[in-house]
Amino acid sequence: MTSLLHPASPFSLASRESLRTRTFLPNRSCSRIAAPNGVRCNVGDPLKYANGKPSTPLLKTEEMAPNFLATETHLVNATTKNDTRLRIFSGTANPALSQEIACNMGLELGKIKIKRFADGEIYVQLQESVRGCDVYLVQPTCPPANENLMELLIMIDACRRASAKNITAVIPYFGYARADRKTQGRESIAAKLVANLITEAGANRVLACDLHSGQSMGYFDIPVDHVYGQPVILDYLASKTICSDDLVVVSPDVGGVARARAFAKKLSDAPLAIVDKRRHGHNVAEVMNLIGDVKGKVAVMVDDMIDTAGTITKGAALLHQEGAREVYACSTHAVFSPPAIERLSSGLFQEVIITNTIPVSEQNYFPQLTVLSVANLLGETIWRVHDDCSVSSIFK
């Protein structure tokens, strides 16, 4: 029987020749030398906590030491003009992820002041010059979606008025992505509206992670770099060395078949099963039947997000009824609207694997939860965009 532990990880990223010398290693400790304004950051498996035990990245700033040039040390030639022109700023939606991205890149987060007035209005002021700089604003539009979206728009406007050369909105989770079409008469297409708002605010580019549907990229009139959290989850599953003969990848609905098929192909071309469901209203799902064989198998359910967890828990219950031995839930975005935590921790899942595109509050942790970090993935993508290198080659 074959194992899922591939000789070459699907997420291995080749180093490249550029104006600086650096090597990118996923899911491992990262150290860089950035002079004169850089910091050395040691992040030991950042935000990758097993079985619901939260932790925060350990960030250290220290002097250069003789062992600085170890195998996994990353060197940045900060005297290069292009390096001094890259700026990363964080909104208030997910500052931990922003800090980890900057640390993995060997940079410091830009100084920015964000506050709320008594009437709820948002105030943004950059605390350093960005004139002529390549600026990246990290802000997922996760709950509260409207607050975080408006904050992102004001941050973009502040950078534009400060004469930034290029402004890239780094949106790990793109809210309103599910409103991408009209399913009934007299509905809005909010995804297109939000795309227009970001464009008109002054963004030159968008970097998004696992959009709900691919057509959302077409709503923007500016370039969109779409990256996937799939390699991070695949690496983690490969480390568990589940035998491929025992594995089946399950799509929780018909709309996710393409995503599940691509996932299964990377897992030694595992067989595919589909849960057929019909939705009677928003956030309400009913499982009808199962297409495929899961008896005696380890079922891996794959979706782009978990909101109220109604779809994925009803699907898991059906898989157990059909004889599945274990059920894993894998998702990039953990929205976790109530009553998601109660459903996910009910014992249906062997493990719930998510990423940190959306911050998970401490009270929402439960024993089966595993959080993986996409900071390495987003940091490498930012470098490639900044260097005008290919982004799609990351996923080949």
Side-chain angles (χ1 to χ4, degrees), residues 256-310:
V257 171
R259 182 185 302 108
R261 185 184 294 117
F263 199 88
K265 188 176 181 180
K266 296 291 181 66
L267 289 177
S268 302
D269 204 13
L272 185 67
I274 304 169
V275 176
D276 176 37
K277 69 178 177 63
R278 295 186 182 180
R279 191 178 297 275
H280 297 290
H282 296 294
N283 297 329
V284 178
E286 180 181 352
V287 171
M288 301 300 294
N289 51 48
L290 178 69
I291 304 171
D293 180 27
V294 297
K295 188 174 183 179
K297 302 279 189 177
V298 175
V300 178
M301 301 188 73
V302 181
D303 209 350
D304 64 317
M305 70 175 70
I306 299 176
D307 190 355
T308 61

Side-chain angles (χ1 to χ4, degrees), residues 9 18 20 39 46 49 57 73 89 98 102 124 147 164-165 198 204 231 246 254 276 279 287 349 364 368:
S9 168
S18 181
R20 64 196 60 79
V39 295
Y49 17 91
T73 297
F89 293 92
S98 304
V124 173
E147 281 276 315
K165 183 179 180 181
I198 293 172
N204 303 108
D246 297 335
V254 176
D276 176 37
R279 191 178 297 275
V287 171
F349 299 98
N364 285 340
Q368 297 85 10

Side-chain angles (χ1 to χ4, degrees), residues 137 152 156-157 160 166-169 197-206 220-223:
L137 305 176
L152 173 62
I156 294 172
D157 184 69
R160 179 175 63 88
N166 291 301
I167 304 170
T168 300
L197 289 172
I198 293 172
T199 303
E200 291 301 317
N204 303 108
R205 178 182 293 270
V206 167
F220 290 89
D221 296 325
I222 54 178

Side-chain angles (χ1 to χ4, degrees), residues 221-240:
D221 296 325
I222 54 178
V224 177
D225 290 302
H226 187 202
V227 300
Y228 301 90
Q230 184 184 89
V232 179
I233 299 174
L234 284 168
D235 270 357
Y236 179 74
L237 288 175
S239 70
K240 300 182 79 67

